[in-house]
Amino acid sequence: MTRKTIRLTLCAFASALMVFPSAAQSKKEKFIDAQFKIAEQHLTNQTDNYPEAIPSRYPRTTKNGKIVATNLRDWTEGFFPGCLWYIYEANKEQKWEELALKWTLPMEKLQYLKSHHDIGFLMYCSYGNAYRLTKNEAYKDILVQSAKSLCTRFSETTGCIKSWNYRESWDKKHKWFYPVIIDNMMNLELLYFASEVTGDPTYADIATKHADTTMKNQFRDDYSNYHVVNYVPETGEVEHRGTCQGYADNSAWSRGQAWAIYGYTMVYRMTKDEKYLDFAMKLADYWLEHDNLPKDMVPYWDFNAGQPGYTAAEWINGRTLDAVIPRDASAAAVTCSALFELATFKGGKKYYKPAVKTLKSLASDAYTAPLNTNCNFILKHSVGTIPHNNEIDVPLVYADYYYLEALHRYEASLKK
Ligand code: GLY
């Protein structure tokens, strides 16, 4: 080989190295674009179902093949406007900003909601995204008022925010006067936001106190969690640990684990205290290393459903659990989004591949619905709550929301 040939070969090799990564990159970008396009089409069809100028019914799921929408008295209304904001963020078309606003603005009065903890989901997914993408100061004020409302449910005695008002456990043996559910971790982001924009640390302090109390009382040694912990309001003692939407009091309800992974990852982002990062990683490891996590990364509704050592809570009472335990795409979507964030932090690289694998699985035909099916929700195969015999193997708006968020996080990861 002459010197010239060697030089030419080396040049060709070097340029190939430069071409290959960008080809791989553009394949990933094409994948993301394609998924956003499918989502955009589903959501166009979905919004076409609501001709009213001011929406009052918000899509949530389906029942017997028909759409189920909720009024402004549930916990899920913020997700649909949130999905519209994510589409707007992807295509930057004014039409989508208008649509997102059309579905966000009727929620304004919820800033005063004090009857449950889900004001975080409601307002941060709708107005939170509205403020992030438009910087309209009026939305900031609404979010701060929402945070104030959430803080009214905090008690210094228990050290946490009360999720629900009074209710009984399934076996009726426990009266839950101060129930805290793991989902509550998700509502803390609103509080950190409020401290960031006002400079008043009160909101963040409450959020961090809640995260600490939950870390102490709501987790088992293996880093799975109890869905519900009930506190004695007068003393702050733990009265009961159990489930409401999972299989058994001692089982790992998969969406509960997903809320926890996402929640502590977010608390680390907001506090930069490594204790939360370490904890979030342990929660994610529980998920990823679980023998019962299917190869396609979409978990069963409960990691322990039907297994020896887990006795179904009283809800089963006369009902049998179906032989086929359904998957929960919503839990997968929440975890997928969280893993993308976890992967951006120190020591988190190992979470990137499982995040991409989960995303690809959700984007496959197994979970993404063909256009004009699934009542125009994007993802199939989620579970609301089997104990209540409600929303079993159906689409759920929050599965779509966290899936779109995960797509954005994947896209952001390619730009780093
Ligand atoms: N926050 C209620 C649920 O996850 O179903």
Side-chain angles (χ1 to χ4, degrees), residues 254-329:
S254 51
R255 196 162 56 253
Q257 192 68 14
W259 293 142
I261 299 168
Y262 191 113
Y264 282 96
T265 303
M266 175 276 297
V267 173
Y268 171 66
R269 179 195 342 133
M270 294 309 210
T271 60
K272 291 288 173 285
D273 182 337
E274 291 198 3
K275 122 178 145 184
Y276 302 113
L277 177 61
D278 180 58
F279 195 62
M281 288 180 177
K282 291 197 164 99
L283 304 178
D285 292 345
Y286 173 89
W287 181 287
L288 296 172
E289 290 165 13
H290 204 290
D291 290 346
N292 208 18
L293 180 69
K295 283 208 166 44
D296 71 3
M297 311 296 275
V298 177
Y300 297 103
W301 141 76
D302 189 301
F303 279 99
N304 309 115
Q307 291 180 350
Y310 298 90
T311 308
E314 284 294 312
W315 59 265
I316 210 140
N317 209 356
R319 273 168 58 201
T320 47
L321 193 64
D322 288 343
V324 180
I325 314 281
R327 306 293 193 91
D328 184 4

Side-chain angles (χ1 to χ4, degrees), residues 349-371:
K349 245 171 112 178
K350 70 169 181 167
Y351 299 104
Y352 190 70
K353 265 194 184 164
V356 175
K357 193 170 170 201
T358 310
L359 190 70
K360 293 261 168 82
S361 182
L362 291 173
S364 74
D365 292 348
Y367 295 98
T368 289
L371 294 178

